[in-house]
Amino acid sequence: MLVAQPAREVKAIQRAVVRFLLPLLPVHESSTAYVAGARLIDNADPHAGCRFILKFDFESFFPSIDDLAIRAMLQGMLGQKISEAEINFVVSCCLWRAPAARRPGLCIGAPSSPFLSNAVMFEIDHGIDAECKALGVVYTRFSDDVTFSSDDPSKLATIEAAFRHACTSAPYPRLRINERKRIFASRGSAMRVTGLTLTNQGGVSVGRSRKRGVRAAVFDFVNGRLDEAQIAKLRGELAFVLSIEPDFRDVLLHTYGPAALRVLPRIR
């Protein structure tokens, strides 16, 4: 994965472009990444309680969104609200041509890439989501990670065909499915969505192994075995785990007593 880190001045321009376009370009509700206020659990929670999930991943997602895709998206959504000169400006400051690439595309590392990728994907998200709702299938997309869920595996087979057709027939962007990362799972196996576990009880969890790690780290903290850097890392891990499973706070307090309060995030 090639990361292109723009210069500080270029990043400032890219952020300004996003602020200008943000109120003008829609992002579909099924897109759960790079949205203000969105949390990782928002991509997993809609699938909680399902019996089957089907997951896909796009190859080279950002680079596949090239200048042709950006131009077509801006012209199609904004029409006369944006000039050709303004489109050229967006393309010139927000895209780059990677070594050996045929066309300039979005780059990993640019602050404008996440928003522009969501805007480009709006029509595809809208079409796929409409077909899913007609079938009773749940659809979410977290950047290049696509998840479908249903209680009926035959419906997932139907939506897979529709999803593949949408990816190949769309004029932009030119999406490629990473076949090695296609995953079909049921309750009889591990069901994970963007790193989170869908439990058999219909909830979302960070997983047993991650919670065991947190327990061990809190034990070491209470017993004075962690240095400042390790404590800072533990605070970050606790903030994430408790954002997914807030009830785990009570488990830690019951196990380690009031001493654990010194490292637990405050309740707002």
Side-chain angles (χ1 to χ4, degrees):
M1 180 173 60
L2 184 62
V3 178
Q5 198 68 245
R8 182 181 303 174
E9 295 80 5
V10 176
K11 283 186 175 181
I13 296 173
Q14 292 171 339
R15 292 190 180 98
V17 168
V18 171
R19 287 194 297 271
F20 173 76
L21 292 176
L22 188 61
L24 303 177
L25 298 177
V27 174
H28 197 267
E29 61 183 11
S30 62
S31 175
T32 59
Y34 319 129
V35 179
R39 304 165 300 161
L40 188 63
I41 194 173
D42 295 334
N43 191 61
D45 197 52
H47 305 284
C50 69
R51 294 179 59 196
F52 304 95
I53 61 172
L54 179 62
K55 300 194 297 180
F56 295 93
D57 182 273
F58 294 125
E59 289 186 5
S60 303
F61 180 56
F62 278 2
S64 71
I65 300 175
D66 61 17
D67 59 323
L68 297 178
I70 296 296
R71 290 179 184 279
M73 178 270 293
L74 292 173
Q75 291 168 346
M77 290 188 175
L78 300 183
Q80 295 182 350
K81 294 180 181 179
I82 189 169
S83 68
E84 188 67 25
E86 288 171 322
I87 292 176
N88 290 336
F89 179 77
V90 173
V91 169
S92 65
C93 70
C94 294
L95 281 70
W96 82 306
R97 180 173 292 175
R102 296 178 59 186
R103 307 196 65 86
L106 297 182
C107 62
I108 302 169
S112 52
S113 292
F115 170 70
L116 290 175
S117 70
N118 277 343
V120 166
M121 287 294 293
F122 178 82
E123 293 294 341
I124 293 177
D125 286 333
H126 177 73
I128 293 173
D129 186 63
E131 296 201 46
C132 284
K133 286 178 177 175
L135 282 171
V137 172
V138 177
Y139 165 64
T140 62
R141 182 181 59 81
F142 190 90
S143 187
D144 59 348
D145 292 324
V146 172
T147 305
F148 300 100
S149 65
S150 174
D151 289 336
D152 184 346
S154 67
K155 291 183 178 180
L156 292 181
T158 300
I159 207 63
E160 177 174 1
F163 169 68
R164 289 180 179 276
H165 176 73
C167 291
T168 57
S169 63
Y172 67 87
R174 296 177 180 176
L175 298 169
R176 300 187 303 275
I177 296 173
N178 187 339
E179 299 295 347
R180 294 172 297 175
K181 293 188 177 181
R182 178 191 180 278
I183 296 174
F184 175 81
S186 66
R187 286 187 183 176
S189 57
M191 297 176 66
R192 298 177 65 82
V193 177
T194 48
L196 300 177
T197 300
L198 305 183
T199 68
N200 290 332
Q201 293 73 38
V204 179
S205 170
V206 297
R208 294 179 181 177
S209 62
R210 193 159 193 172
K211 287 188 287 188
R212 280 197 299 268
V214 168
R215 282 175 181 265
V218 172
F219 176 82
D220 287 341
F221 169 81
V222 169
N223 288 278
R225 299 175 183 173
L226 301 184
D227 59 29
E228 291 301 317
Q230 291 170 322
I231 292 173
K233 182 179 179 181
L234 174 58
R235 291 185 192 277
E237 181 72 355
L238 281 166
F240 172 74
V241 169
L242 295 180
S243 72
I244 306 299
E245 297 187 62
D247 291 346
F248 190 56
R249 180 187 184 93
D250 295 332
V251 174
L252 294 173
L253 287 174
H254 177 76
T255 305
Y256 301 111
L261 285 171
R262 291 185 288 118
V263 75
L264 289 172
R266 295 180 180 179
I267 299 177
R268 296 179 179 179

